[in-house]
Amino acid sequence: MPPIIEVKNLCKSFETKEGRVDAAKNISFSVEKGEIFGIIGLSGAGKSTLVRCLNLLERPDSGDVLVNGQSLLAMSPKELSMRRQGIGMIFQHFNLLMQRNVIDNICFPMEIAKVPRAKAKQRATELLETVGMTDKALAYPAQLSGGQKQRVAIARVLANNPEILLCDEATSALDPQTTRSILELLQHISKTMNITVIIITHEMSVVQQICKRVAVLDSGAVAEQGDVKEIFTSPKTEAAKRLVISGVRPVDLMHGKKMVRIIFDGQSSYEPVVGNVTLAFGTPVNIMYADTKDIGGSAVGEMILQLPEDPITAQRMIDYLKERKLVVEEV
């Protein structure tokens, strides 16, 4: 079985007043059926261009996009239109029709597909139950919270029974608790409906919660790709490192200090790492940052420690931590 999506050497550029912009440079990756795959990068990394190329809203300059082994670029306009019906998109700003109530918003794509009204309304009612919005069927978008609007948008996309969902910064306008609930809903939909989900985001926390694999974009190219836990634990490129430790502001403020990032998982998540190293060397260390996350059902955490300025003691501490099977890298 071929991957449900395969991107091969995709390139896309634009001419602007400032000159040529290479928005996508030789991008290649594949996504398996039923997988939740992440595409992550900072602003300007090329995420929006890439997601629009995945369903040919933007036509690549070169390369190819295959869905179920078939090239989208080789399809006629009619064939491409049919294929797009199986690729749904969920956006950051919901794109609901403000003059229509919830159930009519969900019915809208079925109206375009000329589904009989009674059948469309029945399907919309089922989808409202799926996304937990049964009691809001007659409400209008202006009466809904951001999370409720996104649930309606998801139900509307599901109306056409897509094989693939492209989520373009779908949680960026939501608070953290609502974000978690929307991601849990997408996980449930992917599992129960066997729908492949591609999450496009700039937030590492989103990828950590929902994705198994991820591609890191930087300046229009894939800087790194692989298992989410592996990239979080041992990012190999500067682009991935920036995303992994984003938000750890104290690191930027401490110049000339010996600091290390340590990663711990499994049993080591519950061991008193800082206490043990302090006792072993009789010298305190300073905790600059600490967090523990659930990645793929495992507790995976990180600490950023400021070590003593004496280079010999600092190196002995690093060796001590590595001997205990912890990932240690200087930051």
Side-chain angles (χ1 to χ4, degrees), residues 216 223-227 229-242 244 261 329:
V216 178
E224 192 168 342
Q225 62 178 303
D227 184 85
K229 186 175 179 180
E230 180 181 341
I231 288 178
F232 175 80
T233 302
S234 303
K236 297 177 178 61
T237 62
E238 287 303 315
K241 289 177 182 179
R242 285 197 302 271
V244 166
R261 175 178 181 256
E329 60 179 356

Side-chain angles (χ1 to χ4, degrees), residues 15 25 67 73 131 137 160 164 193 200 213 226 234 276 327:
E15 293 296 334
K25 295 182 282 191
V67 175
L73 279 79
V131 300
N160 280 336
I164 299 164
M193 299 183 180
I200 295 89
R213 295 191 303 127
S234 303
N276 286 347
V327 176

Side-chain angles (χ1 to χ4, degrees), residues 91-105:
F91 302 94
Q92 178 179 354
H93 297 297
F94 323 124
N95 293 358
L96 299 179
L97 300 172
M98 300 303 289
Q99 72 277 17
R100 287 183 171 228
N101 63 26
V102 165
I103 199 158
D104 285 342
N105 262 282

Side-chain angles (χ1 to χ4, degrees), residues 184-210:
E184 288 168 1
L185 174 61
L186 290 172
Q187 283 180 307
H188 174 74
I189 287 168
S190 176
K191 184 176 181 179
T192 59
M193 299 183 180
N194 199 27
I195 293 175
T196 304
V197 180
I198 297 180
I199 301 283
I200 295 89
T201 183
H202 65 277
E203 299 173 290
M204 194 68 187
S205 59
V206 170
V207 168
Q208 288 166 346
Q209 181 176 336
I210 195 172

Side-chain angles (χ1 to χ4, degrees), residues 241-254 259-261 287-291 293 302-305 331:
K241 289 177 182 179
R242 285 197 302 271
L243 289 162
V244 166
I245 66 170
S246 62
V248 187
R249 304 310 304 166
V251 175
D252 299 333
L253 304 176
M254 301 298 292
M259 286 185 295
V260 294
R261 175 178 181 256
I287 300 174
M288 306 302 298
Y289 173 84
D291 194 16
K293 299 175 176 67
E302 64 179 327
M303 283 187 180
I304 294 181
L305 303 178
V331 294

